[in-house]
mmCIF file of all heavy atoms in Angstrom:
data_model
loop_
_atom_site.group_PDB
_atom_site.id
_atom_site.type_symbol
_atom_site.label_atom_id
_atom_site.label_comp_id
_atom_site.label_asym_id
_atom_site.label_seq_id
_atom_site.Cartn_x
_atom_site.Cartn_y
_atom_site.Cartn_z
ATOM 1 N N THR Q 104 92.752 74.023 112.126
ATOM 2 C CA THR Q 104 93.693 73.828 111.012
ATOM 3 C C THR Q 104 94.359 72.462 111.119
ATOM 4 O O THR Q 104 94.802 71.909 110.127
ATOM 5 C CB THR Q 104 94.778 74.920 110.990
ATOM 6 O OG1 THR Q 104 95.458 74.945 112.247
ATOM 7 C CG2 THR Q 104 94.191 76.297 110.714
ATOM 8 N N ARG Q 107 91.293 69.744 110.326
ATOM 9 C CA ARG Q 107 90.875 69.771 108.919
ATOM 10 C C ARG Q 107 91.999 69.288 108.004
ATOM 11 O O ARG Q 107 91.802 69.115 106.814
ATOM 12 C CB ARG Q 107 90.412 71.174 108.541
ATOM 13 C CG ARG Q 107 89.182 71.588 109.323
ATOM 14 C CD ARG Q 107 88.766 72.998 109.002
ATOM 15 N NE ARG Q 107 87.698 73.018 108.021
ATOM 16 C CZ ARG Q 107 87.620 73.867 107.006
ATOM 17 N NH1 ARG Q 107 88.574 74.753 106.829
ATOM 18 N NH2 ARG Q 107 86.611 73.843 106.180
ATOM 19 N N ASP Q 108 93.198 69.095 108.554
ATOM 20 C CA ASP Q 108 94.293 68.475 107.815
ATOM 21 C C ASP Q 108 94.244 66.963 108.016
ATOM 22 O O ASP Q 108 94.401 66.187 107.075
ATOM 23 C CB ASP Q 108 95.626 69.035 108.344
ATOM 24 C CG ASP Q 108 96.825 68.544 107.560
ATOM 25 O OD1 ASP Q 108 97.072 69.109 106.457
ATOM 26 O OD2 ASP Q 108 97.504 67.614 108.000
ATOM 27 N N ARG Q 112 92.475 63.179 105.465
ATOM 28 C CA ARG Q 112 93.520 62.173 105.189
ATOM 29 C C ARG Q 112 93.082 60.821 105.763
ATOM 30 O O ARG Q 112 93.198 59.787 105.109
ATOM 31 C CB ARG Q 112 94.839 62.640 105.820
ATOM 32 C CG ARG Q 112 96.039 61.842 105.401
ATOM 33 C CD ARG Q 112 96.693 62.404 104.154
ATOM 34 N NE ARG Q 112 97.538 61.408 103.519
ATOM 35 C CZ ARG Q 112 98.425 61.677 102.564
ATOM 36 N NH1 ARG Q 112 98.582 62.901 102.118
ATOM 37 N NH2 ARG Q 112 99.136 60.727 102.017
ATOM 38 N N ARG Q 116 91.996 57.323 103.796
ATOM 39 C CA ARG Q 116 92.754 56.091 104.021
ATOM 40 C C ARG Q 116 91.843 54.937 104.415
ATOM 41 O O ARG Q 116 92.026 53.820 103.936
ATOM 42 C CB ARG Q 116 93.844 56.309 105.079
ATOM 43 C CG ARG Q 116 94.810 55.147 105.175
ATOM 44 C CD ARG Q 116 96.107 55.489 105.869
ATOM 45 N NE ARG Q 116 96.858 56.547 105.152
ATOM 46 C CZ ARG Q 116 98.016 57.051 105.556
ATOM 47 N NH1 ARG Q 116 98.578 56.598 106.672
ATOM 48 N NH2 ARG Q 116 98.634 57.993 104.873
ATOM 49 N N MET Q 148 71.721 75.522 105.297
ATOM 50 C CA MET Q 148 72.185 74.490 106.206
ATOM 51 C C MET Q 148 71.895 73.143 105.558
ATOM 52 O O MET Q 148 70.830 72.954 104.978
ATOM 53 C CB MET Q 148 71.456 74.571 107.551
ATOM 54 C CG MET Q 148 71.561 75.905 108.262
ATOM 55 S SD MET Q 148 73.254 76.372 108.638
ATOM 56 C CE MET Q 148 73.631 75.209 109.958
ATOM 57 N N THR Q 150 71.991 68.881 106.308
ATOM 58 C CA THR Q 150 72.203 67.773 107.241
ATOM 59 C C THR Q 150 72.706 66.583 106.433
ATOM 60 O O THR Q 150 72.071 66.159 105.472
ATOM 61 C CB THR Q 150 70.895 67.420 107.967
ATOM 62 O OG1 THR Q 150 70.436 68.588 108.636
ATOM 63 C CG2 THR Q 150 71.110 66.304 108.963
ATOM 64 N N LYS Q 196 108.825 67.352 107.152
ATOM 65 C CA LYS Q 196 109.623 67.634 108.345
ATOM 66 C C LYS Q 196 109.208 68.993 108.914
ATOM 67 O O LYS Q 196 109.216 69.993 108.192
ATOM 68 C CB LYS Q 196 111.100 67.660 107.947
ATOM 69 C CG LYS Q 196 112.057 67.694 109.104
ATOM 70 C CD LYS Q 196 113.478 67.507 108.580
ATOM 71 C CE LYS Q 196 114.449 68.284 109.445
ATOM 72 N NZ LYS Q 196 115.716 68.529 108.741
ATOM 73 N N LEU Q 198 109.990 72.148 110.781
ATOM 74 C CA LEU Q 198 111.203 72.896 111.145
ATOM 75 C C LEU Q 198 110.955 73.697 112.413
ATOM 76 O O LEU Q 198 111.751 73.660 113.344
ATOM 77 C CB LEU Q 198 111.628 73.817 110.004
ATOM 78 C CG LEU Q 198 111.894 73.142 108.648
ATOM 79 C CD1 LEU Q 198 112.179 74.181 107.587
ATOM 80 C CD2 LEU Q 198 113.064 72.148 108.760
ATOM 81 N N VAL Q 201 105.834 78.849 114.967
ATOM 82 C CA VAL Q 201 106.011 80.222 115.435
ATOM 83 C C VAL Q 201 104.663 80.763 115.891
ATOM 84 O O VAL Q 201 103.680 80.695 115.155
ATOM 85 C CB VAL Q 201 106.584 81.109 114.302
ATOM 86 C CG1 VAL Q 201 106.750 82.546 114.777
ATOM 87 C CG2 VAL Q 201 107.917 80.545 113.822
ATOM 88 N N GLU Q 203 102.210 83.842 116.988
ATOM 89 C CA GLU Q 203 102.021 85.281 116.858
ATOM 90 C C GLU Q 203 100.827 85.666 117.728
ATOM 91 O O GLU Q 203 99.972 84.828 117.999
ATOM 92 C CB GLU Q 203 101.724 85.646 115.403
ATOM 93 C CG GLU Q 203 102.879 85.311 114.471
ATOM 94 C CD GLU Q 203 102.499 85.508 113.006
ATOM 95 O OE1 GLU Q 203 101.403 85.098 112.607
ATOM 96 O OE2 GLU Q 203 103.322 86.050 112.279
ATOM 97 N N GLN Q 263 81.644 82.876 108.644
ATOM 98 C CA GLN Q 263 81.742 81.599 107.944
ATOM 99 C C GLN Q 263 83.178 81.196 107.639
ATOM 100 O O GLN Q 263 83.570 80.068 107.835
ATOM 101 C CB GLN Q 263 80.925 81.700 106.663
ATOM 102 C CG GLN Q 263 80.991 80.496 105.754
ATOM 103 C CD GLN Q 263 80.242 79.311 106.329
ATOM 104 O OE1 GLN Q 263 79.570 79.411 107.341
ATOM 105 N NE2 GLN Q 263 80.409 78.162 105.701
ATOM 106 N N GLU Q 289 75.475 84.569 115.480
ATOM 107 C CA GLU Q 289 74.051 84.708 115.785
ATOM 108 C C GLU Q 289 73.632 84.041 117.095
ATOM 109 O O GLU Q 289 72.572 84.363 117.623
ATOM 110 C CB GLU Q 289 73.191 84.188 114.628
ATOM 111 C CG GLU Q 289 73.363 82.702 114.406
ATOM 112 C CD GLU Q 289 72.592 82.207 113.200
ATOM 113 O OE1 GLU Q 289 71.550 82.794 112.880
ATOM 114 O OE2 GLU Q 289 73.029 81.221 112.589
ATOM 115 N N GLY Q 312 68.992 97.232 118.557
ATOM 116 C CA GLY Q 312 69.573 97.887 117.388
ATOM 117 C C GLY Q 312 69.540 99.391 117.546
ATOM 118 O O GLY Q 312 68.554 99.948 118.047
ATOM 119 N N VAL Q 314 70.126 102.829 115.239
ATOM 120 C CA VAL Q 314 70.428 103.429 113.945
ATOM 121 C C VAL Q 314 71.241 104.695 114.225
ATOM 122 O O VAL Q 314 70.735 105.627 114.862
ATOM 123 C CB VAL Q 314 69.142 103.775 113.172
ATOM 124 C CG1 VAL Q 314 69.496 104.374 111.807
ATOM 125 C CG2 VAL Q 314 68.268 102.545 113.013
ATOM 126 N N LYS Q 323 81.352 108.008 122.708
ATOM 127 C CA LYS Q 323 80.506 108.427 123.831
ATOM 128 C C LYS Q 323 80.351 107.306 124.861
ATOM 129 O O LYS Q 323 80.436 107.534 126.080
ATOM 130 C CB LYS Q 323 79.128 108.785 123.293
ATOM 131 C CG LYS Q 323 78.623 110.237 123.343
ATOM 132 C CD LYS Q 323 78.961 111.025 124.502
ATOM 133 C CE LYS Q 323 78.338 112.390 124.526
ATOM 134 N NZ LYS Q 323 78.957 113.409 123.712
ATOM 135 N N ASP H 123 83.013 74.799 101.310
ATOM 136 C CA ASP H 123 83.865 75.091 102.472
ATOM 137 C C ASP H 123 84.357 73.835 103.193
ATOM 138 O O ASP H 123 84.494 73.854 104.412
ATOM 139 C CB ASP H 123 83.118 75.960 103.514
ATOM 140 C CG ASP H 123 82.957 77.407 103.063
ATOM 141 O OD1 ASP H 123 83.845 77.911 102.346
ATOM 142 O OD2 ASP H 123 81.955 78.041 103.447
ATOM 143 N N GLN H 139 101.334 65.809 102.181
ATOM 144 C CA GLN H 139 100.513 67.007 101.987
ATOM 145 C C GLN H 139 100.922 68.104 102.967
ATOM 146 O O GLN H 139 101.357 67.812 104.082
ATOM 147 C CB GLN H 139 99.027 66.675 102.244
ATOM 148 C CG GLN H 139 98.686 66.567 103.742
ATOM 149 C CD GLN H 139 97.321 65.992 104.016
ATOM 150 O OE1 GLN H 139 96.907 65.016 103.386
ATOM 151 N NE2 GLN H 139 96.609 66.571 104.968
ATOM 152 N N SER H 141 98.696 71.478 104.118
ATOM 153 C CA SER H 141 97.478 72.270 103.889
ATOM 154 C C SER H 141 97.642 73.666 104.486
ATOM 155 O O SER H 141 98.599 73.932 105.206
ATOM 156 C CB SER H 141 96.281 71.546 104.479
ATOM 157 O OG SER H 141 96.479 71.327 105.859
ATOM 158 N N ARG H 158 103.036 77.209 106.713
ATOM 159 C CA ARG H 158 101.656 76.752 106.893
ATOM 160 C C ARG H 158 100.973 77.574 107.970
ATOM 161 O O ARG H 158 101.499 77.726 109.075
ATOM 162 C CB ARG H 158 101.665 75.273 107.311
ATOM 163 C CG ARG H 158 100.321 74.703 107.597
ATOM 164 C CD ARG H 158 100.395 73.218 108.002
ATOM 165 N NE ARG H 158 99.074 72.639 107.926
ATOM 166 C CZ ARG H 158 98.222 72.624 108.948
ATOM 167 N NH1 ARG H 158 98.561 73.090 110.126
ATOM 168 N NH2 ARG H 158 97.011 72.093 108.790
ATOM 169 N N GLU H 161 96.155 78.493 113.773
ATOM 170 C CA GLU H 161 95.301 79.476 114.448
ATOM 171 C C GLU H 161 96.093 80.627 115.072
ATOM 172 O O GLU H 161 95.733 81.774 114.963
ATOM 173 C CB GLU H 161 94.451 78.810 115.543
ATOM 174 C CG GLU H 161 93.202 78.121 115.033
ATOM 175 C CD GLU H 161 93.486 76.759 114.426
ATOM 176 O OE1 GLU H 161 94.669 76.326 114.425
ATOM 177 O OE2 GLU H 161 92.541 76.121 113.929
ATOM 178 N N ASP H 162 97.165 80.292 115.782
ATOM 179 C CA ASP H 162 97.842 81.345 116.537
ATOM 180 C C ASP H 162 99.241 81.641 115.991
ATOM 181 O O ASP H 162 100.117 82.069 116.722
ATOM 182 C CB ASP H 162 97.910 80.972 118.030
ATOM 183 C CG ASP H 162 98.545 79.600 118.240
ATOM 184 O OD1 ASP H 162 98.845 78.920 117.242
ATOM 185 O OD2 ASP H 162 98.742 79.221 119.393
ATOM 186 N N TYR H 164 102.202 80.335 112.717
ATOM 187 C CA TYR H 164 102.476 79.543 111.513
ATOM 188 C C TYR H 164 103.530 78.481 111.810
ATOM 189 O O TYR H 164 104.187 78.518 112.856
ATOM 190 C CB TYR H 164 102.933 80.448 110.369
ATOM 191 C CG TYR H 164 104.207 81.226 110.620
ATOM 192 C CD1 TYR H 164 105.444 80.695 110.270
ATOM 193 C CD2 TYR H 164 104.175 82.487 111.200
ATOM 194 C CE1 TYR H 164 106.615 81.411 110.504
ATOM 195 C CE2 TYR H 164 105.340 83.211 111.445
ATOM 196 C CZ TYR H 164 106.561 82.658 111.088
ATOM 197 O OH TYR H 164 107.719 83.350 111.323
ATOM 198 N N MET H 166 106.809 76.241 109.894
ATOM 199 C CA MET H 166 107.693 76.091 108.749
ATOM 200 C C MET H 166 107.951 74.592 108.568
ATOM 201 O O MET H 166 108.271 73.887 109.535
ATOM 202 C CB MET H 166 109.027 76.821 108.980
ATOM 203 C CG MET H 166 108.889 78.341 109.142
ATOM 204 S SD MET H 166 108.031 79.191 107.801
ATOM 205 C CE MET H 166 109.171 78.895 106.449
ATOM 206 N N GLU H 168 109.406 71.313 105.816
ATOM 207 C CA GLU H 168 110.248 70.974 104.672
ATOM 208 C C GLU H 168 109.719 69.685 104.030
ATOM 209 O O GLU H 168 109.454 68.721 104.747
ATOM 210 C CB GLU H 168 111.680 70.753 105.165
ATOM 211 C CG GLU H 168 112.729 70.833 104.088
ATOM 212 C CD GLU H 168 114.114 70.676 104.697
ATOM 213 O OE1 GLU H 168 114.702 71.697 105.114
ATOM 214 O OE2 GLU H 168 114.583 69.522 104.792
ATOM 215 N N HIS H 225 70.847 64.551 103.750
ATOM 216 C CA HIS H 225 69.612 64.060 104.356
ATOM 217 C C HIS H 225 68.522 65.117 104.174
ATOM 218 O O HIS H 225 67.411 64.838 103.778
ATOM 219 C CB HIS H 225 69.909 63.787 105.836
ATOM 220 C CG HIS H 225 68.750 63.370 106.652
ATOM 221 N ND1 HIS H 225 68.175 62.132 106.528
ATOM 222 C CD2 HIS H 225 68.066 64.021 107.633
ATOM 223 C CE1 HIS H 225 67.168 62.048 107.400
ATOM 224 N NE2 HIS H 225 67.084 63.170 108.068
ATOM 225 N N LYS H 226 68.869 66.379 104.458
ATOM 226 C CA LYS H 226 67.960 67.471 104.135
ATOM 227 C C LYS H 226 68.747 68.780 104.089
ATOM 228 O O LYS H 226 69.839 68.882 104.653
ATOM 229 C CB LYS H 226 66.804 67.577 105.146
ATOM 230 C CG LYS H 226 67.278 67.891 106.552
ATOM 231 C CD LYS H 226 66.096 68.151 107.485
ATOM 232 C CE LYS H 226 66.616 68.371 108.908
ATOM 233 N NZ LYS H 226 65.628 68.712 109.875
ATOM 234 N N PHE H 228 68.119 73.140 104.329
ATOM 235 C CA PHE H 228 67.118 74.147 104.698
ATOM 236 C C PHE H 228 67.785 75.487 104.906
ATOM 237 O O PHE H 228 68.976 75.581 105.181
ATOM 238 C CB PHE H 228 66.376 73.720 105.968
ATOM 239 C CG PHE H 228 67.298 73.337 107.116
ATOM 240 C CD1 PHE H 228 67.570 74.233 108.141
ATOM 241 C CD2 PHE H 228 67.896 72.083 107.158
ATOM 242 C CE1 PHE H 228 68.411 73.887 109.191
ATOM 243 C CE2 PHE H 228 68.744 71.722 108.202
ATOM 244 C CZ PHE H 228 69.002 72.625 109.221
ATOM 245 N N ARG H 230 68.620 78.802 106.892
ATOM 246 C CA ARG H 230 68.852 79.010 108.310
ATOM 247 C C ARG H 230 67.733 79.901 108.863
ATOM 248 O O ARG H 230 67.379 80.909 108.281
ATOM 249 C CB ARG H 230 70.230 79.647 108.389
ATOM 250 C CG ARG H 230 70.535 80.621 109.439
ATOM 251 C CD ARG H 230 71.787 81.395 109.034
ATOM 252 N NE ARG H 230 72.918 80.515 108.707
ATOM 253 C CZ ARG H 230 73.703 79.966 109.620
ATOM 254 N NH1 ARG H 230 73.496 80.145 110.883
ATOM 255 N NH2 ARG H 230 74.726 79.239 109.226
ATOM 256 N N GLU H 237 64.570 95.100 119.569
ATOM 257 C CA GLU H 237 64.168 96.515 119.562
ATOM 258 C C GLU H 237 65.095 97.306 118.644
ATOM 259 O O GLU H 237 66.272 97.011 118.560
ATOM 260 C CB GLU H 237 64.286 97.097 120.970
ATOM 261 C CG GLU H 237 63.727 96.229 122.076
ATOM 262 C CD GLU H 237 64.486 96.452 123.391
ATOM 263 O OE1 GLU H 237 64.494 97.605 123.856
ATOM 264 O OE2 GLU H 237 65.061 95.489 123.907
ATOM 265 N N TYR H 239 66.143 101.372 117.691
ATOM 266 C CA TYR H 239 65.974 102.787 118.045
ATOM 267 C C TYR H 239 66.709 103.671 117.056
ATOM 268 O O TYR H 239 67.847 103.387 116.669
ATOM 269 C CB TYR H 239 66.535 103.062 119.441
ATOM 270 C CG TYR H 239 65.804 102.336 120.536
ATOM 271 C CD1 TYR H 239 66.249 101.082 120.977
ATOM 272 C CD2 TYR H 239 64.673 102.876 121.127
ATOM 273 C CE1 TYR H 239 65.581 100.391 121.971
ATOM 274 C CE2 TYR H 239 64.001 102.192 122.131
ATOM 275 C CZ TYR H 239 64.452 100.952 122.550
ATOM 276 O OH TYR H 239 63.792 100.283 123.536
ATOM 277 N N ASP H 244 73.588 110.598 122.464
ATOM 278 C CA ASP H 244 73.515 110.510 123.925
ATOM 279 C C ASP H 244 72.436 109.557 124.390
ATOM 280 O O ASP H 244 72.651 108.719 125.267
ATOM 281 C CB ASP H 244 73.265 111.909 124.530
ATOM 282 C CG ASP H 244 74.547 112.729 124.507
ATOM 283 O OD1 ASP H 244 75.632 112.124 124.649
ATOM 284 O OD2 ASP H 244 74.458 113.955 124.324
#
Side-chain angles (χ1 to χ4, degrees):
Chain Q
T104 56
R107 296 177 98 222
D108 186 79
R112 191 89 199 193
R116 190 162 298 179
M148 303 300 288
T150 302
K196 190 172 147 200
L198 303 175
V201 179
E203 298 172 316
Q263 176 71 7
E289 65 184 330
V314 181
K323 247 322 185 281
Chain H
D123 287 329
Q139 77 191 43
S141 58
R158 177 180 195 270
E161 279 79 2
D162 54 355
Y164 61 91
M166 297 305 295
E168 199 177 272
H225 176 72
K226 63 173 176 176
F228 52 99
R230 147 197 307 279
E237 315 149 59
Y239 296 93
D244 284 327

